[in-house]
Amino acid sequence: MLENFLAGLAVVMQPLNLLLLTSAVFIGFIGGALPGISGVILVVILLPVTYGMEPTTAFMVLTAIYGATVFSGLITAILYRAPGTPEAVMTAFDGYPMTQRGEAGKSLGIGVLSSAIGGIVGTIALIIFTPLLANMAIKFSSPEYFALAVLGLTVVASLGGRLIFGLIGAALGLFIATIGIDPLTGTSRYTFGNLNLAEGVGLIPVIVGLFAVSEVMKRTLDHESHQPLTKVKVKIFDMPILRQIGATLSRSSIIGVIIGILPGIGASTAAMVSYSETVRWSKHPEKFGKGAPEGIAAPESANNAAAMGALVPLFALGIPGSGTTAVILGAFIMHGLQPGPMFMLTSSDLIYAVFAGLFIVNFMILLFSKPFIVLFTKLLNVPYSALGPIIIMCCVVGTYSVRNSMFDVWLMLGFGVMGYLLEKINFPMVSIILGLVLGPIAESELRRSLSMSQGSFDIFLDRPISATLLAVALVLLTATLVMPLIKRARRRTATQGEAT
């Protein structure tokens, strides 16, 4: 493992790769700090650009952007209570009160240090656990792969508390995945005689439309705005503060890694859980929400650790651990690669180069965050009326360049309108992407499994691993259905008790 990591580090330190990695970190800083341009959108926008790169370089860049955006969302969360990314929502609870007290620089310093430490812990976990998980899964065959795909679909479909929307989104993604030529029989499906649909609906038009174009429409049509930042002095290494938050950093980083590894849960959930646990363990819980340093350290160390942990199931099992990693999974497929148990054997040089790149990215956060915050105060003054058209132009050019197809551009715009409308009802669009990405895997492995068993579904229950994975999927769906009923019953009981 150490030998492979050092080999990956040598790849990262090549001048061109190091330059691209540094550029990706700064791009991620900007995308994460600007409210409305999250890691998902930024990765989507730059996805077509990486199509012309070598796969190793492409995924070093994409994962570096991913890691940097998770960090930089804290900047506007702390200074204006306007999180740049969903992962930074909890950071605003104590970061903004510190800013109101005139301690913006101190608050940002805590956030930067916590993010870097959480990211380093998460990267170490990524390096250790990915091969172990892949070795466990090396015995997988078609039934296990089908069960994994079902698990990925059910986890994402269960997010957000609105199960019906999640299931509809996953079903819609599955349907889109069936359009085109059947890979096993060569039969046309849902093409309606349109040759443009014979190759299927590409990932890029769907992803770019649902996330990037819809966000530009939302910010433009809904007239959303943000305030400019003021100059602040960031102090990262403050020993008294570090001693105060040391235990919080350790506990929250571990929580972040565990939650990040769970498919579909995400860094935002890790931030919320770690914050609540920090309050639970604190001797002075009343200080939270009023500017407690631990209230910044907990979510920031957890969300960055979870972001790295979310890559573990992606590389080892081919299941995304978050929305952004779902897009990265699409990028792997676009490059003709399929993450999973055999991926550690066939592409170990690529994987360890990505690991080494992420390790360096977390040190770059410590090194470049202070000058970036100074520079960012000027960039935030750019009106969205100028930034939005630039984003749309990048989307059009990038989408067209993948297959040289104007049909894909029109699809992208159509999915953009669809995404804008779905945002209005808080529809979980990640479930559509997961259905689109995991749909072909589920379909092909289901059909192969039934061929192996001569049409008997017992093959999924006779094999321990596939039966376990399907049982977990069933438990997650059941829990999603039952928990709201339990909470409703408890509220009803509490209301009746107060009435009596």
Side-chain angles (χ1 to χ4, degrees):
M1 186 182 298
L2 179 61
E3 183 180 345
N4 287 333
F5 179 77
L6 292 176
L9 191 61
V11 174
V12 175
M13 297 307 294
Q14 293 176 7
L16 179 59
N17 286 340
L18 190 60
L19 176 62
L20 289 173
L21 192 71
T22 305
S23 302
V25 168
F26 275 99
I27 292 171
F29 280 0
I30 296 171
L34 286 171
I37 306 181
S38 64
V40 175
I41 293 174
L42 201 57
V43 170
V44 164
I45 291 173
L46 295 176
L47 196 57
V49 178
T50 64
Y51 189 66
M53 299 180 181
E54 290 291 325
T56 300
T57 304
F59 292 105
M60 281 171 47
V61 168
L62 290 177
T63 52
I65 291 172
Y66 171 46
T69 53
V70 174
F71 149 72
S72 61
L74 67 86
I75 297 174
T76 45
I78 288 174
L79 293 174
Y80 284 102
R81 203 167 60 180
T85 59
E87 295 88 348
V89 170
M90 301 304 295
T91 307
F93 285 3
D94 286 276
Y96 186 65
M98 288 187 71
T99 297
Q100 291 179 309
R101 294 202 305 253
E103 298 177 326
K106 179 180 178 181
S107 180
L108 285 168
I110 295 169
V112 170
L113 182 62
S114 302
S115 297
I117 290 176
I120 290 170
V121 171
T123 304
I124 293 172
L126 174 66
I127 295 170
I128 293 173
F129 289 120
T130 300
L132 295 177
L133 191 58
N135 288 336
M136 288 174 56
I138 200 73
K139 300 176 182 178
F140 283 18
S141 61
S142 292
E144 285 76 20
Y145 279 117
F146 170 74
L148 274 176
V150 171
L151 176 62
L153 289 169
T154 54
V155 168
V156 174
S158 303
L159 293 178
R162 305 187 74 176
L163 177 60
I164 187 63
F165 278 3
L167 291 175
I168 291 173
L172 179 59
L174 288 169
F175 168 72
I176 295 172
T178 62
I179 297 174
I181 303 297
D182 187 320
L184 297 183
T185 65
T187 306
S188 295
R189 303 186 298 191
Y190 307 113
T191 60
F192 304 103
N194 191 326
L195 294 178
N196 292 303
L197 291 174
E199 297 181 21
V201 176
L203 283 168
I204 295 299
V206 179
I207 294 174
V208 173
L210 287 178
F211 289 96
V213 176
S214 66
E215 185 64 31
V216 174
M217 291 179 63
K218 175 185 173 184
R219 293 182 60 83
T220 302
L221 298 177
D222 297 349
H223 305 291
E224 295 186 5
S225 60
H226 55 267
Q227 305 175 39
L229 289 172
T230 55
K231 186 176 180 180
V232 293
K233 186 177 180 180
V234 181
K235 186 177 182 180
I236 297 177
F237 297 101
D238 189 332
M239 291 309 298
I241 289 293
L242 184 57
R243 284 193 291 269
Q244 181 180 347
I245 65 175
T248 300
L249 289 175
S250 301
R251 181 174 57 251
S252 298
S253 296
I254 294 172
I255 291 173
V257 168
I258 294 172
I259 293 179
I261 291 175
L262 298 175
I265 305 302
S268 299
T269 303
M272 295 177 187
V273 172
S274 66
Y275 186 91
S276 64
E277 287 303 308
T278 300
V279 174
R280 189 196 313 274
W281 284 74
S282 176
K283 296 179 181 179
H284 303 283
E286 70 280 356
K287 67 181 180 179
F288 286 87
K290 301 175 182 178
E294 297 92 336
I296 301 171
E300 282 306 314
S301 55
N303 63 27
N304 282 268
M308 301 299 101
L311 293 169
V312 173
L314 174 65
F315 286 124
L317 302 176
I319 294 179
S322 66
T324 309
T325 54
V327 177
I328 295 175
L329 174 59
F332 273 111
I333 294 173
M334 186 179 73
H335 279 267
L337 301 171
Q338 178 61 59
M342 295 300 297
F343 197 53
M344 290 296 299
L345 297 178
T346 59
S347 303
S348 62
D349 53 344
L350 183 154
I351 291 175
Y352 280 97
V354 170
F355 290 171
L358 288 170
F359 197 75
I360 292 175
V361 163
N362 288 290
F363 285 99
M364 287 182 174
I365 288 174
L366 287 173
L367 184 63
F368 298 136
S369 57
K370 288 178 67 174
F372 170 76
I373 290 172
V374 174
L375 178 64
F376 182 76
T377 58
K378 300 178 181 179
L379 291 177
L380 198 61
N381 292 322
V382 176
Y384 201 82
S385 58
L387 188 61
I390 294 175
I391 294 174
I392 292 295
M393 181 182 67
C394 292
C395 292
V396 171
V397 173
T399 300
Y400 178 82
S401 64
V402 173
R403 297 197 295 192
N404 295 325
S405 171
M406 275 303 298
F407 183 78
D408 284 352
V409 175
W410 290 114
L411 276 180
M412 175 199 73
L413 296 175
F415 278 107
V417 175
M418 176 181 171
Y420 171 74
L421 296 175
L422 292 178
E423 283 277 5
K424 294 290 187 180
I425 56 174
N426 296 320
F427 194 93
M429 290 187 290
V430 169
S431 61
I432 300 177
I433 301 301
L434 261 294
L436 179 60
V437 170
L438 295 178
I441 299 173
E443 180 192 8
S444 59
E445 300 302 340
L446 172 63
R447 293 164 71 175
R448 289 192 182 98
S449 299
L450 293 177
S451 296
M452 291 167 56
S453 64
Q454 297 181 343
S456 173
F457 284 90
D458 290 342
I459 189 172
F460 299 109
L461 302 178
D462 293 339
R463 301 172 70 94
I465 296 177
S466 62
T468 301
L469 292 173
L470 290 174
V472 171
L474 180 61
V475 169
L476 288 171
L477 282 176
T478 304
T480 306
L481 288 170
V482 172
M483 288 306 295
L485 298 177
I486 295 176
K487 291 179 180 178
R488 197 174 304 149
R490 287 177 178 175
R491 285 197 299 267
R492 189 182 302 114
T493 303
T495 304
Q496 291 173 353
E498 292 175 359
T500 55

